[in-house]
Amino acid sequence: MSNTTGMFVLSARILHWLMAMLILAMLFIGIGMVASVSERHEWLIHIHKPLGIAILILAVLRLAIRLRNPAPPLPADLPWLQKLAAHASHWLLYGLMIAMPLIGWAMLSAGGYPVMLSDSLRLPAIFPTNAIAFAILRQLHTVLAMLLFLTFLAHMAAALYHGLIRRDGVLSSMTHRRKP
């Protein structure tokens, strides 16, 4: 199945922009959590956990939509290395959007901490309590968060390059209808 419209489907576009906002918020909330020992820390944790699970659910939904509705083709004159980088970075973003919440959930499980989505909704542990695993998963969560942020920045820079410099329709395929 190929995409001949030159546009991402509407559901993919809506999820893209919603998730961009959620992920950016999540990255800043995560930074705030590790940088604060005030009463804000607890408040940020109460936001971080359900937001992470929401991102996980939306990422799985988004991946299903993407597999069912392929992305529009990249411009034919785009160098093969840039095409490879575009495809690789997209799949890396999908992987990180799914892996990060799962690793965070496993990390909390390994630390013996509950994953509360609300005052009464608690997720089950997905990893046995283990202090060493907790430390490893915490470090992995941090490293992958940095990788997610760098990949996010590269993705945004590439979008701006296509939209402002090349003006080749790549950015508009995710923002609005193309003119025939």
Side-chain angles (χ1 to χ4, degrees):
M1 183 183 339
S2 66
N3 181 334
T4 58
T5 66
M7 293 292 299
F8 283 89
V9 295
L10 180 60
S11 55
R13 292 191 314 246
I14 290 169
L15 280 173
H16 174 272
W17 294 107
L18 173 62
M19 292 188 71
M21 291 183 293
L22 293 176
I23 289 168
L24 197 55
M26 182 64 111
L27 288 167
F28 284 104
I29 289 167
I31 291 167
M33 281 173 27
V34 298
S36 175
V37 292
S38 69
E39 66 279 349
R40 249 181 309 173
H41 182 265
E42 197 67 29
W43 178 72
L44 291 171
I45 286 175
H46 288 319
I47 297 171
H48 194 79
K49 292 176 187 180
L51 189 55
I53 297 303
I55 288 171
L56 174 61
I57 292 166
L58 292 173
V60 170
L61 177 62
R62 187 168 169 198
L63 181 58
I65 290 169
R66 172 70 184 267
L67 293 174
R68 189 174 166 100
N69 303 282
L74 292 168
D77 66 335
L78 197 65
W80 72 270
L81 192 57
Q82 287 183 21
K83 287 181 181 180
L84 176 66
H87 291 297
S89 67
H90 278 115
W91 291 111
L92 177 60
L93 282 169
Y94 281 111
L96 290 168
M97 288 185 293
I98 292 169
M100 287 291 300
L102 289 173
I103 291 168
W105 187 358
M107 173 189 73
L108 292 171
S109 297
Y113 300 106
V115 178
M116 302 297 295
L117 300 185
S118 69
D119 290 336
S120 60
L121 183 57
R122 179 181 181 164
L123 294 180
I126 61 169
F127 203 90
T129 303
N130 181 308
I132 294 171
F134 172 78
I136 292 168
L137 290 167
R138 183 174 177 164
Q139 187 64 36
L140 181 60
H141 195 68
T142 301
V143 169
L144 291 182
M146 289 182 219
L147 178 60
L148 178 59
F149 186 62
L150 291 174
T151 308
F152 183 95
L153 290 176
H155 182 74
M156 197 168 62
L160 292 173
Y161 167 73
H162 284 282
L164 300 175
I165 296 171
R166 281 187 56 105
R167 298 179 186 199
D168 56 12
V170 171
L171 177 60
S172 63
S173 71
M174 188 51 83
T175 58
H176 60 278
R177 290 243 175 254
R178 288 187 183 184
K179 304 215 184 323

